Amino acid sequence: MLATNAEARNITTIEGLSHDGELDPVQQAFLKHQAFQCGYCTPGMIMAVKGLLTSNPNPTEEQTRDYLSGNLCRCGTYTEVLAAVKELAQE
């Protein structure tokens, strides 16, 4: 999104997901499933997964792949990211 389109909107960053020292369930699932390597794409992936689960709490793998298609991971942790989303969707 362009910055001008965010005017007068609330924006949550990766740092804003944790509360009172507790990680968000998406962050916890990424750690559990080791859904990162170098960390470059991790904030974007986590925020995208958070947005996906907010709009669709029980996405299929195809829906998840489509939603995350704009986030590139050079390390290839897509399998682990999909595992994290699958676990979160079952909760």
Side-chain angles (χ1 to χ4, degrees):
M1 154 187 311
L2 294 173
T4 57
N5 293 342
E7 186 176 344
R9 291 187 180 190
N10 291 326
I11 297 172
T12 302
T13 64
I14 189 78
E15 294 84 4
L17 288 184
S18 63
H19 296 284
D20 298 323
E22 293 291 321
L23 294 177
D24 184 83
V26 176
Q27 293 171 308
Q28 291 174 0
F30 268 62
L31 285 172
K32 178 180 177 182
H33 292 278
Q34 299 177 1
F36 54 88
Q37 284 184 28
C38 75
Y40 184 78
C41 71
T42 306
M45 285 284 198
I46 289 174
M47 296 307 291
V49 168
K50 185 73 174 174
L52 168 64
L53 295 173
T54 298
S55 65
N56 182 359
N58 202 1
T60 65
E61 182 174 326
E62 184 178 327
Q63 290 169 325
T64 301
R65 287 178 182 270
D66 183 57
Y67 198 91
L68 298 177
S69 65
N71 295 78
L72 301 178
C73 175
R74 300 291 181 197
C75 300
T77 61
Y78 297 108
T79 302
E80 292 80 4
V81 171
L82 292 173
V85 173
K86 183 175 182 180
E87 178 182 300
L88 290 163
Q90 292 176 354
E91 292 181 351

